[in-house]
Each structure stands twice: as C-alpha cells, then as structure tokens.
Amino acid sequence: MATRDVSAQSDLSKLKREADGSFKRPASSFRDVIERGGKYEPESDRYHLYVAYSCPWATRALIVRKLKGLEDIIPVTIVSPRLGPQGWPFASVDPFPGAEDDPLYGSKHIKDLYFKADPDYSGRFTVPVLWDKKDETIVNNESSEIIRIFNSAFNHLLPAEKAAVDLYPEDLRGEIDAVNDWIYPSINNGVYRAGFATKQDAYDTAVRGVFEGLDRVEKLLDDKDYLVGGRLTEADVRLWVTIIRFDVAYHGHFKCNFRTIRDGYPAIDLWARKLYWNVDAFKSSTKFDHIKAGYYSQVTINPTKIIPAGPIPDIRSL
C-alpha cells in the first residue's frame, strides 16, 4: 500500500498562496474548550501542552500558562525549532538544545499526534497543541482560545493569588477585543503575509500594513506600560510575542525592514523590555536561539540556512 503523501500539510515550501501571491493563514481545526461540566473537564495532569519556543502562537500559551501558575497542572513538551519537510520534529529526530522527546507516545513529529487524534486529518500540523491524555486527542490548537482556557478554566484548582490573575477581565473585554482585531491582521499575521508573499505587490501591501500597525501601537503605548486599561491583559501577550521576534527575525528574514523596534519605536521597545525583564513568564518563555534557528531554517526564504549573528544584543537591558 502506498504511503499517504502529507507533505502539503507539513512542508513550508508547499504553503498555498493566493493568485496574487499573498499568504492566507488557514484556520485552526481543533476548537473544543475545557470547562466544568463539559466534555473536557478541568483536571490536574489530564492535559499536555506541546509547543515550539520559536513559534509566537505557541509562546502565547507558554506565557499565560506561567502567569496563571499552571505548570504543575499542565505539563509541557518543547519541540525542535527547525521546522522541516515533515513538520515540527521532537528531539529524537532533531536534538536541538532545549528540545525534548515526546513523553507520552514517543512521537517523531507533531504530525503523529494529529493523526493519532484523527487518522484522516487534512489540515496543517501546527503548535501549540493542547492534548487530552484521557481521551488521547487534541482539545484545541488555536492559541487565542487556549490562552482563554488557561485564563479561567482551572481557577478552582489554583491558589487564590493565581486564580485572581485575569488577563481577560469582563470590564475590559470590549477594548481588548477591539485592539486584538486590528493588531492581529496588521502585525501578528502581517509579518507572515510580508515574509511569505511570492509577488512584489503582495509583499508591498503587507509590509506597509505592518508598519502602519506599528505606528498605531507606538501612539497607543506612549507613556503607558500596557495596551488596555492600565494593566496586563491578553492584548499585551498577543502583541508581545511578535514584537520580541521582530528585530531578530522579521526585520531581516521576512523583509519587514522599514525600521527596527529598538531604533524606530521607543514606546514599543520600552514596553517590550519592561515585560521581558520584569515579568519572568515573558523572559523564561523566550529563547532567542530557538527563534533564530526556527525562522532562518525556512529554506524557501533562506536556502543557505545561515543564522545571522545580530542584532546584538538580542534585547537591550532596561
């Protein structure tokens, strides 16, 4: 029997582009929730999180997991940052420093988990993956939903001080949603639309959108420590994972090179550095060697796989 070809689901060189050369991100496929009384009950050590330090979407989940004190409730496994033709590899396949083996099934790649959850799965093999060990399936692979699950679903299992941490407070939800609604397309996904564009016009449109978004954020953060409500919210987490990768990856690799963050956006730069140096959840979830290796191993954009030495330092001190 012929082996099924799934390379279109795992190989970056086979990413589908629109007719105009623009990149359109496919929607996530697993969208269940963890909630009391639901199909997936919030229980300690029932769920497992798979992430890549190089991936901004996965790092969202890592940051919120740490902020909420879920480390003992939801274990985590780190894959290699070097996304290859078979997708995200575990350390057993690519022993990159800091990468780990799959402790549950000995999987070679993240795709093995997707096919364990659904043998007929036809989407992309992305991280983060929130896995249910009881039913042996994927609960959710959409980072924006995973961080909201982490924000509230396990509160009854947490100490009072961690349960009180609320990154999506009811009184600020309208403002948070409004900020997320324009930051995602212009900046979070905008850098990818610039980097993965295959035609000049598509790139030009995308890169202009990125810097229009950054200009808008710069004004929003002028003399402020946070995006919304004078407090840390999920809006900060969602933007920060892109900003921390900007100078080390997107500026060069994705050709988002109008300006760097450190030299072009003083308010954004200060906001990002304060979170990195003052809040361990941000610093400990950020591995610059993984970020650089992950992006610059994308052979369709960087066929030599040479990893740039700069910028130096990766992030400046306060």
Side-chain angles (χ1 to χ4, degrees), residues 49 51 53 55-71 76 147 150 162 165 167 232-234 236-242 244-245 275-276 279-286:
L49 182 66
V51 300
Y53 281 130
C55 173
W57 321 109
T59 308
R60 290 175 173 182
L62 272 181
I63 291 170
V64 175
R65 172 179 172 269
K66 181 87 171 182
L67 289 170
K68 289 292 298 186
L70 292 168
E71 297 97 317
V76 67
I147 64 174
F150 287 180
K162 290 297 184 180
V165 173
L167 300 171
L232 181 65
T233 70
E234 73 164 44
D236 297 290
V237 175
R238 288 172 52 128
L239 174 62
W240 191 88
V241 295
T242 299
I244 202 64
R245 287 162 174 76
L275 288 174
Y276 181 88
V279 185
D280 182 66
F282 290 85
K283 183 179 181 181
S284 63
S285 302
T286 304

Side-chain angles (χ1 to χ4, degrees), residues 76-90:
V76 67
T77 295
I78 311 297
V79 299
S80 168
R82 293 186 288 220
L83 184 64
Q86 299 300 312
W88 296 104
F90 287 96

Side-chain angles (χ1 to χ4, degrees), residues 104-142:
L104 300 183
Y105 309 106
S107 307
K108 293 183 177 180
H109 295 87
I110 283 289
K111 71 175 184 178
D112 299 339
L113 296 169
Y114 278 83
F115 286 135
K116 187 172 184 64
D118 178 4
D120 298 318
Y121 179 72
S122 60
R124 290 191 57 77
F125 310 114
T126 60
V127 287
V129 168
L130 183 57
W131 183 265
D132 175 24
K133 292 186 283 187
K134 181 178 179 180
D135 290 345
E136 296 193 312
T137 192
I138 297 172
V139 178
N140 200 297
N141 68 337
E142 168 52 54

Side-chain angles (χ1 to χ4, degrees), residues 18-296:
E18 301 300 297
D20 64 356
S22 62
F23 165 67
K24 184 177 181 180
R25 184 176 298 278
S28 299
S29 302
F30 294 89
R31 309 293 287 270
D32 281 309
V33 298
I34 297 172
E35 59 186 358
R36 300 176 82 173
K39 178 180 179 181
Y40 298 103
E41 287 277 355
E43 302 169 13
S44 182
D45 201 30
R46 174 174 173 174
Y47 303 98
H48 196 93
L49 182 66
Y50 291 93
V51 300
Y53 281 130
S54 55
C55 173
W57 321 109
T59 308
R60 290 175 173 182
L62 272 181
I63 291 170
V64 175
R65 172 179 172 269
K66 181 87 171 182
L67 289 170
K68 289 292 298 186
L70 292 168
E71 297 97 317
D72 293 334
I73 293 175
I74 304 173
V76 67
T77 295
I78 311 297
V79 299
S80 168
R82 293 186 288 220
L83 184 64
Q86 299 300 312
W88 296 104
F90 287 96
S92 58
V93 173
D94 183 18
F96 189 90
E100 299 169 322
D101 294 341
D102 176 16
L104 300 183
Y105 309 106
S107 307
K108 293 183 177 180
H109 295 87
I110 283 289
K111 71 175 184 178
D112 299 339
L113 296 169
Y114 278 83
F115 286 135
K116 187 172 184 64
D118 178 4
D120 298 318
Y121 179 72
S122 60
R124 290 191 57 77
F125 310 114
T126 60
V127 287
V129 168
L130 183 57
W131 183 265
D132 175 24
K133 292 186 283 187
K134 181 178 179 180
D135 290 345
E136 296 193 312
T137 192
I138 297 172
V139 178
N140 200 297
N141 68 337
E142 168 52 54
S143 66
S144 64
E145 295 173 0
I146 291 174
I147 64 174
R148 290 191 180 173
I149 291 170
F150 287 180
N151 184 58
S152 59
F154 298 88
N155 279 349
H156 64 292
L157 302 177
L158 293 172
E161 67 272 14
K162 290 297 184 180
V165 173
D166 189 357
L167 300 171
Y168 192 53
E170 190 169 353
D171 61 320
L172 295 177
R173 288 179 183 179
E175 291 181 64
I176 292 170
D177 290 344
V179 168
N180 289 341
D181 283 348
W182 61 264
I183 284 179
Y184 172 78
S186 64
I187 301 175
N188 294 139
N189 197 45
V191 294
Y192 286 89
R193 291 191 298 111
F196 289 149
T198 56
K199 293 185 180 179
Q200 188 69 47
D201 286 349
Y203 161 76
D204 289 341
T205 298
V207 76
R208 283 196 301 269
V210 169
F211 285 92
E212 287 169 1
L214 289 172
D215 291 345
R216 188 173 175 183
V217 170
E218 179 72 8
K219 293 178 181 177
L220 187 60
L221 282 173
D222 187 32
D223 290 326
K224 295 179 182 176
D225 288 333
Y226 305 107
L227 286 167
V228 175
R231 58 180 289 187
L232 181 65
T233 70
E234 73 164 44
D236 297 290
V237 175
R238 288 172 52 128
L239 174 62
W240 191 88
V241 295
T242 299
I243 298 303
I244 202 64
R245 287 162 174 76
F246 199 92
D247 289 1
V248 300
Y250 305 141
H251 179 270
H253 185 59
F254 280 175
K255 306 178 186 70
C256 294
N257 58 1
F258 287 14
R259 291 173 289 280
T260 61
I261 298 298
R262 66 187 63 197
D263 294 322
Y265 293 98
I268 298 176
D269 181 56
L270 182 60
W271 162 84
R273 287 187 289 131
K274 283 181 176 179
L275 288 174
Y276 181 88
W277 292 111
N278 294 337
V279 185
D280 182 66
F282 290 85
K283 183 179 181 181
S284 63
S285 302
T286 304
K287 307 296 183 185
F288 289 107
D289 58 339
H290 281 242
I291 292 170
K292 287 185 179 182
Y295 283 99
Y296 286 98

